[in-house]
Amino acid sequence: MEKQERAAIVIERLKKEYPDVECTLDYNEAWKLLVSVRLAAQCTDERVNVIVKDLYAQYPDVNALAEAEPEDIEAIVRPCGLGRSKARDISKCMRILRDEYDGKVPDSFEALMKLPGVGRKSANLIMGDVFGKPAIVTDTHCIRLTNRIGLVDQEKNPKKVEMALWKIIPPEEGNDFCHHLVFHGREVCTARTKPHCDRCCLCDICREYQNEQADSGLS
């Protein structure tokens, strides 16, 4: 089966399996998603969603957060881990938004990539979720599942995975496709336990599952 055909099947099945998906980080303004994705590095989305409530209670808008000292931000976000570097990036980022973008998040991928603490994954998430533009977010779920399923070939580099997926995923499907992978990766194709292949809607087209079946003589 060609990768593009496999990708089309994966997209349709995951849509049926998880009909209502959205970003698992809570936000109601673009700048809040920008803050949350920085805090989410090496931290669960669930914890970030709790911590930002205290952060926004004290600093309710871009200007307030831009005026805050990094040390004061760090005191709040420390439970997310890497508190000093995350606080420093958030402070610098909010000051750039205030001084250069009238308090708004830029809608250019290139401009987003120039913001402190923003990499390709974060920029793609914002482009897709906030601005509705084509985006592929290669987080740990995306990388793990696309390798297992057979959409990419033993590739762990996030940018290389992204580039490979752009060749087989329709641009308009990329953002939701990645959200679906997050849900499937948490519920079924897990990382810290053995994948629950017995209840996976993709097992018949999953390269890793088929290889395991062949090795055990069950295929």
Side-chain angles (χ1 to χ4, degrees):
M1 182 184 296
E2 295 292 330
K3 287 186 175 66
Q4 194 163 1
E5 180 185 358
R6 192 190 304 268
I9 296 172
V10 171
I11 289 170
E12 288 308 309
R13 289 189 184 178
L14 290 183
K15 281 183 179 180
K16 292 179 180 179
E17 194 75 8
Y18 310 98
D20 300 310
V21 298
E22 57 186 11
C23 181
T24 51
L25 290 167
D26 295 337
Y27 72 97
N28 56 11
E29 295 181 72
W31 69 271
K32 291 183 178 179
L33 181 58
L34 192 58
V35 169
S36 288
V37 293
R38 181 63 187 100
L39 293 177
Q42 300 183 37
C43 182
T44 65
D45 291 357
E46 291 81 4
R47 173 167 288 189
V48 171
N49 289 338
V50 172
I51 298 302
V52 293
K53 291 180 181 179
D54 292 334
L55 183 67
Y56 302 149
Q58 190 157 342
Y59 306 108
D61 54 40
V62 170
N63 287 337
L65 201 49
E67 292 172 3
E69 293 298 327
E71 294 80 9
D72 295 328
I73 298 173
E74 181 185 355
I76 299 174
V77 305
R78 189 177 294 116
C80 292
L82 305 174
R84 181 172 298 179
S85 62
K86 290 180 179 180
R88 183 178 61 245
D89 286 342
I90 290 170
S91 175
K92 290 180 179 178
C93 193
M94 293 301 107
R95 290 174 184 180
I96 291 173
L97 295 188
R98 178 193 63 190
D99 298 339
E100 299 182 22
Y101 295 101
D102 194 29
K104 296 180 174 58
V105 175
D107 61 357
S108 157
F109 186 85
E110 292 72 20
L112 287 169
M113 286 285 289
K114 292 178 181 179
L115 295 175
V118 176
R120 295 190 66 86
K121 182 178 73 173
S122 300
N124 270 305
L125 180 63
I126 293 167
M127 290 297 289
D129 271 35
V130 174
F131 300 113
K133 296 185 179 182
I136 290 179
V137 180
T138 49
D139 61 7
T140 57
H141 294 292
C142 177
I143 294 170
R144 183 176 74 257
L145 270 64
T146 55
N147 272 278
R148 286 178 175 175
I149 295 166
L151 300 182
V152 298
D153 300 314
Q154 297 182 339
E155 183 56 70
K156 300 298 176 66
N157 180 281
K159 184 176 180 180
K160 290 182 179 179
V161 171
E162 180 191 336
M163 294 302 106
L165 292 177
W166 277 121
K167 296 177 182 179
I168 60 173
I169 303 294
E172 68 276 9
E173 298 285 358
N175 192 55
D176 282 348
F177 169 70
C178 294
H179 285 323
H180 282 113
L181 290 180
V182 170
F183 278 76
H184 196 61
R186 290 178 175 177
E187 297 292 329
V188 178
C189 198
T190 52
R192 296 183 180 179
T193 65
K194 184 176 176 59
H196 305 289
C197 300
D198 57 317
R199 52 186 175 90
C200 179
C201 63
L202 304 174
C203 62
D204 62 311
I205 60 167
C206 174
R207 181 174 60 190
E208 186 162 317
Y209 178 78
Q210 295 300 322
N211 288 342
E212 288 178 357
Q213 294 295 98
D215 290 342
S216 63
L218 297 176
S219 62

